[in-house]
Amino acid sequence: MSEGQRARRPGGRSARVAAEVHQAVTALISERGYGNFTVGEVAARAGVADSSIYRRWGSLETLLSDVALTRLNAQSPMPDTGSLAGDLRAYAANVAREITGPDGLAVVRLAVALSNKGQQGLRAGDDLRADRMRQLQSMLDRAQERGEQAPDAYGVLDHILAPMYIRVWFGMVPLTPDYIDGLVDRLL
């Protein structure tokens, strides 16, 4: 490594700044809803300069997409239990825990807003959906490689994820383990 280069440390300042910015976004969505705050307000809440946010994310929509995807990946990773039924149950339980948690409705609102907001928002929403669908497809591909019959990714979306998101959106919680298992059983 040359004298002018510095080693990046995982979990260093950059990771702390990203976490603070993500938390600021989540808090602002919870308080005000999507579209009711600016990059400047996110920066002030996170204690960073606006330019730091623009340099790292480029736009508010890209930041919002990153927040949603990072949150989903951290809280609802794609499990590998050795069976499709086990994977789907674990995945659905993780998603249910995430979307019913303290900031869950904010994350649901963010995902919905990114799907419906202008051209740049559509790109961010498309990126979010595409990345999550690729991850979901990898779980389904593993099941097929084991010789299991797997639905397509849209089947999981339609029969497991959509009902849970709708219930959270309309305040029809809790999402009980029996309810979640029933969704998986009906799909399989």
Side-chain angles (χ1 to χ4, degrees):
M1 181 170 14
S2 72
E3 191 175 314
Q5 294 176 317
R6 289 185 293 158
R8 291 197 177 237
R9 296 170 298 172
R13 183 180 186 285
S14 180
R16 282 193 309 276
V17 167
E20 290 165 2
V21 169
H22 281 212
Q23 185 54 44
V25 166
T26 302
L28 286 165
I29 290 171
S30 292
E31 293 168 15
R32 301 182 191 174
Y34 177 85
N36 296 318
F37 56 88
T38 65
V39 167
E41 291 169 308
V42 172
R45 175 80 57 109
V48 300
D50 300 25
S51 59
S52 295
I53 292 175
Y54 284 115
R55 187 172 39 254
R56 183 170 187 154
W57 288 281
S59 70
L60 182 59
E61 284 74 19
T62 302
L63 168 60
L64 296 174
S65 179
D66 185 53
V67 168
L69 189 58
T70 299
R71 185 76 181 258
L72 288 170
N73 287 339
Q75 302 297 324
S76 307
M78 292 298 153
D80 188 359
T81 65
S83 75
L84 180 58
D87 289 351
L88 289 173
R89 279 184 174 68
Y91 175 63
N94 288 340
V95 170
R97 213 172 7 263
E98 170 62 11
I99 65 176
T100 60
D103 298 323
L105 186 54
V107 172
V108 171
R109 287 179 177 157
L110 176 56
V112 170
L114 285 171
S115 298
N116 297 317
K117 183 70 180 163
Q119 187 59 34
Q120 189 148 0
L122 283 174
R123 277 195 307 273
D126 287 346
D127 291 347
L128 174 65
R129 269 191 312 277
D131 199 45
R132 204 57 178 162
M133 291 299 272
R134 270 191 302 276
Q135 294 171 355
L136 185 57
Q137 189 61 53
S138 71
M139 177 177 37
L140 299 172
D141 290 345
R142 275 195 320 264
Q144 288 180 327
E145 289 167 8
R146 290 189 301 257
E148 296 178 86
Q149 186 170 350
D152 67 9
Y154 286 104
V156 175
L157 178 70
D158 291 342
H159 298 283
I160 296 175
L161 298 177
M164 291 193 306
Y165 273 72
I166 291 296
R167 282 185 173 229
V168 169
W169 185 261
F170 289 106
M172 301 164 59
V173 290
L175 301 178
T176 66
D178 287 342
Y179 172 74
I180 295 166
D181 287 347
L183 294 174
V184 173
D185 290 344
R186 283 189 289 282
L187 175 62
L188 296 178

